Amino acid sequence: MRVYLFIAAVAGGATWLITPLIRHIAIHIGAVGRVRARDVHTIPTPRMGGLGMLIGFVVAMLFASRIPFISGLFTANHQAWVVMAGAIMICLLGMADDLWDLDWMLKLAGQLLISVFVAWGGLQIISLPLGSLVTASPTLSMAITAFLIVASINAVNFVDGLDGLAAGIVAIGGIAFGLYSYILARSSPSYASMATLIDVALVGVCVGFLLHNWHPAKLFMGDSGSMLLGYLITCASIVMTGHLDPASLHTSVYVPVFMPILLPILVLFLPVLDMCLAIVRRLSKGQSPMHPDRMHLHHRMLKIGHSVQGAVLILWGWAALISFGSVTILFFPVRYVVIGFLVAAAVLTVLTMLPYLRRRIPEIMEEDAAYSKHHAAQHVCPQSGRGADRPTSEAGNESRDAGKYREKDADRPSQA
């Protein structure tokens, strides 16, 4: 564990140190995001922070290749080098988009080509949990691997809308997945795990970048960063799945076997949910799936009334609940996990809706008070009207009777 913590520290330190230089380079070459209608920030901010994240990741991996405990992972096969090559290519594609705003179809084609290259290089899902583990054909493995990588890349890209949001969600998912992969690795003769190594380096990169990306951000990660994060967290999952041997697994571990497929979806649940909602929303309007709008989850949080920091922290909380809840269910009784999950979900729900409730409850109380006054006035006014009419008529009658009596009294003396 100490070795992995050291790798995370190296990745975080390298990212933190190099990011200010990347910011100056981005400003110099014009990689500065203009303020668009859908953006939350109000001043132009340099992007291309993904380059600093890439440097931090590569530095951490090169350090790891020289550590005896982990160096065997780099000599046993070429997976580590394939992952780094794919990271470089996906970051370069993102940098091109940060500079020139590539067409979404061109960008998607580049993502697909890089994903196929990575799958062809040996990073594949070789087993599918279909009731039991089934070995997939090479063509099917490459197709599934490419699809997962592209989907994760775009999911993280969709959720990257607030300062620190994407980096924090991916870091939380990386911690959860890293713990899971580390626990699984302890059952093997060697504790060394390529999946854990990628995860800890990824977490370090996210933390190092967050120090510059917290609101108000000095630098955006841009597509070069969001695509890199989605790529790396998926690669960690695929590496773990690729090491599962269907013939060597017992029925009792079928549930953990499903998790390498499910956990990437669960740790990226919010980005995946946001992406699916956006695609459905845009297609229902006859728009392109990549058509920008202001209806993402983070936009909705701001509309509720949260500040940028508050929205980010609450979305982090939801990401942590789903990620760690999916992992703890493997090691603790289900009923305890479900109870804890429901309690935490209730607390997060209240926190999510709190600004709306603070604003809406006084409005409801004012509306109720106004309605009560209006309702009371409707009951009082008719009664007061009848009471006012009654004294007037009675006074008129009394005056008429008094007149009659005076006339009679006046007649009597004349008769006398």
Side-chain angles (χ1 to χ4, degrees):
M1 179 59 75
R2 287 177 295 180
V3 173
Y4 291 129
L5 293 177
F6 172 73
I7 296 300
V10 170
T15 304
W16 178 71
L17 290 173
I18 200 66
T19 296
L21 177 60
I22 301 301
R23 180 178 183 274
H24 288 293
I25 293 175
I27 295 173
H28 180 70
I29 64 177
V32 178
R34 66 184 186 276
V35 179
R36 299 163 295 187
R38 68 179 187 269
D39 290 332
V40 176
H41 65 282
T42 56
I43 59 174
T45 305
R47 47 190 181 181
M48 209 173 72
L51 178 58
M53 303 168 81
L54 173 67
I55 293 173
F57 177 76
V58 172
V59 168
M61 294 294 283
L62 293 178
F63 262 86
S65 67
R66 299 296 180 180
I67 298 175
F69 173 71
I70 304 177
S71 59
L73 298 173
F74 292 82
T75 57
N77 53 56
H78 302 291
Q79 279 189 336
W81 307 109
V82 171
V83 170
M84 283 192 282
I88 293 171
M89 288 188 289
I90 204 73
C91 185
L92 290 175
L93 176 64
M95 288 171 59
D97 185 68
D98 291 337
L99 282 169
W100 301 301
D101 286 327
L102 302 179
D103 181 75
W104 72 269
M105 293 188 67
L106 178 61
K107 187 166 58 174
L108 186 63
Q111 295 170 358
L112 186 59
L113 288 175
I114 295 170
S115 301
V116 170
F117 165 78
V118 171
W120 176 77
L123 199 74
Q124 296 182 16
I125 295 177
I126 61 174
S127 304
L128 300 175
L130 304 174
S132 60
L133 279 178
V134 177
T135 302
S137 65
T139 303
L140 182 60
S141 293
M142 291 183 64
I144 294 174
T145 301
F147 172 78
L148 285 177
I149 293 176
V150 171
S152 298
I153 286 172
N154 286 284
V156 177
N157 192 19
F158 270 63
V159 83
D160 181 30
L162 295 179
D163 297 343
L165 179 58
I169 288 178
V170 173
I172 291 168
I175 293 171
F177 196 87
L179 290 173
Y180 170 70
S181 61
Y182 177 75
I183 292 171
L184 281 186
R186 294 188 64 179
S187 61
S188 63
S190 174
Y191 286 6
S193 167
M194 180 60 68
T196 308
L197 176 62
I198 295 174
D199 278 319
V200 297
L202 175 63
V203 171
V205 162
C206 291
V207 173
F209 184 74
L210 270 172
L211 298 177
H212 298 281
N213 189 235
W214 187 246
H215 185 76
K218 302 179 181 67
L219 176 71
F220 294 154
M221 66 172 64
D223 278 21
S224 58
S226 60
M227 294 198 302
L228 177 65
L229 296 184
Y231 165 82
L232 289 177
I233 197 167
T234 309
C235 284
S237 171
I238 294 172
V239 167
M240 178 186 295
T241 309
H243 284 291
L244 296 177
D245 182 7
S248 64
L249 291 170
H250 192 267
T251 306
S252 61
V253 296
Y254 276 165
V255 173
V257 165
F258 279 80
M259 292 309 293
I261 304 295
L262 298 177
L263 200 55
I265 300 174
L266 293 173
V267 299
L268 294 177
F269 179 79
L270 288 182
V272 171
L273 175 64
D274 193 27
M275 179 180 68
C276 293
L277 291 175
I279 291 174
V280 172
R281 181 174 64 248
R282 293 164 185 175
L283 290 178
S284 65
K285 296 179 180 178
Q287 299 172 338
S288 164
M290 299 298 176
H291 183 78
D293 58 27
R294 289 182 60 88
M295 295 295 292
H296 291 286
L297 292 177
H298 51 272
H299 290 132
R300 296 174 187 268
M301 292 290 287
L302 296 177
K303 288 181 180 179
I304 290 174
H306 289 283
S307 64
V308 173
Q309 298 95 326
V312 169
L313 291 174
I314 291 176
L315 290 174
W316 283 5
W318 281 110
L321 175 62
I322 297 170
S323 300
F324 288 98
S326 61
V327 172
T328 54
I329 201 170
L330 299 173
F331 309 106
F332 297 97
V334 175
R335 61 181 181 275
Y336 297 137
V337 175
V338 171
I339 292 173
F341 183 92
L342 293 177
V343 171
V347 173
L348 284 172
T349 301
V350 173
L351 292 176
T352 300
M353 300 304 298
L354 190 58
Y356 175 79
L357 294 175
R358 284 178 175 174
R359 183 179 68 252
R360 185 57 183 154
I361 289 176
E363 292 177 355
I364 294 174
M365 294 177 67
E366 291 177 2
E367 292 173 1
D368 290 342
Y371 175 78
S372 299
K373 291 180 180 178
H374 180 68
H375 188 66
Q378 288 180 339
H379 285 279
V380 172
C381 288
Q383 294 177 358
S384 62
R386 289 193 299 270
D389 293 338
R390 187 179 298 114
T392 303
S393 60
E394 291 175 358
N397 293 333
E398 291 175 359
S399 62
R400 286 194 297 270
D401 293 340
K404 292 178 181 178
Y405 295 147
R406 286 194 296 271
E407 291 174 0
K408 291 180 180 178
D409 292 339
D411 292 335
R412 285 173 187 159
S414 63
Q415 292 176 356

